[in-house]
Amino acid sequence: NQLSKNLFSPNFLMLLIAWTIGMKETGIVRYFTNIITLLYMLFGRAIGVPSGAIFSTIKKRDSFETKKTFLSITNTYIQLLYVVAIVITTTVVPIIIRQTNSAITNIILLFIISGFIEYITITYEKLYLVQGAARQLARINGMSAAICFLYVTSIPMHNSLFLLPICCIRTTTMYAIA
């Protein structure tokens, strides 16, 4: 699970971006994506840890109670993500479009999308771990990591949409986890 999370983390994606487009352009991308990295850490600590604690306390209750609590937390969390996405779309994206060329804009936007895909799975992953389904989660994430590794090592990534397959891999993984 941790290996998969690291392969799709902002830090690894930033290394992949640097390898693909060079250090100068990566500096520009990093400037605009620092907010995503900050949100990644914030949501991991503010949502991931407390939701894991809540799920562990309701573990011994019936499945209806667990499902009700899980859906309540997850729905509230996803609504928060909608608000954050709207704020970023209306404030940061226009600046990115004005300040960068189209290739770097594509990379930044795909980086932001990949970050949001990671945020969506936080509560699901905590429920898997608390319910003792870590092996199932590891299988899903392991397949995702293997596919990503194959993509990164075998396909030339020369265009500005090289993060698109990574977003697709994580979206598919997100659906499998959900």
Side-chain angles (χ1 to χ4, degrees):
N1 285 325
Q2 193 59 42
L3 174 64
S4 175
K5 296 301 281 180
N6 288 338
L7 276 176
F8 296 100
S9 72
N11 290 332
F12 179 78
L13 291 178
M14 201 53 64
L15 289 173
L16 188 60
I17 290 167
W19 178 54
T20 304
I21 66 170
M23 291 303 288
K24 179 182 176 190
E25 291 80 7
T26 301
I28 296 167
V29 171
R30 184 68 179 172
Y31 176 77
F32 286 107
T33 59
N34 275 340
I35 190 167
I36 294 302
T37 305
L38 176 65
L39 289 173
Y40 186 80
M41 293 183 324
L42 177 69
F43 285 144
R45 300 288 185 251
I47 304 298
V49 174
S51 65
I54 290 170
F55 296 153
S56 66
T57 62
I58 63 170
K59 182 179 178 180
K60 294 182 173 101
R61 296 185 186 168
D62 65 7
S63 62
F64 177 76
E65 182 78 23
T66 301
K67 183 177 181 178
K68 181 180 169 187
T69 304
F70 172 76
L71 289 175
S72 174
I73 290 169
T74 302
N75 287 337
T76 303
Y77 173 59
I78 289 177
Q79 288 173 3
L80 171 66
L81 288 178
Y82 284 144
V83 170
V84 170
I86 289 168
V87 169
I88 288 174
T89 302
T90 58
T91 58
V92 177
V93 171
I95 295 169
I96 293 169
I97 291 170
R98 280 193 311 268
Q99 299 295 323
T100 63
N101 64 43
S102 63
I104 291 179
T105 299
N106 290 340
I107 292 169
I108 293 169
L109 295 177
L110 288 170
F111 183 92
I112 291 170
I113 290 167
S114 71
F116 271 95
I117 293 168
E118 289 299 308
Y119 302 147
I120 292 170
T121 62
I122 288 175
T123 57
Y124 289 93
E125 289 175 350
K126 293 301 177 186
L127 185 63
Y128 269 83
L129 296 175
V130 168
Q131 294 294 322
R135 284 194 176 137
Q136 185 178 2
L137 181 62
R139 271 186 237 126
I140 295 168
N141 280 331
M143 288 189 321
S144 173
I147 293 168
C148 179
F149 179 77
L150 289 172
Y151 166 68
V152 168
T153 58
S154 64
I155 297 173
M157 298 180 286
H158 300 300
N159 66 30
S160 65
L161 299 176
F162 74 93
L163 287 178
L164 185 60
I166 292 174
C167 290
C168 293
I169 292 167
R170 285 315 282 172
T171 301
T172 304
T173 304
M174 178 190 66
Y175 283 115
I177 289 171

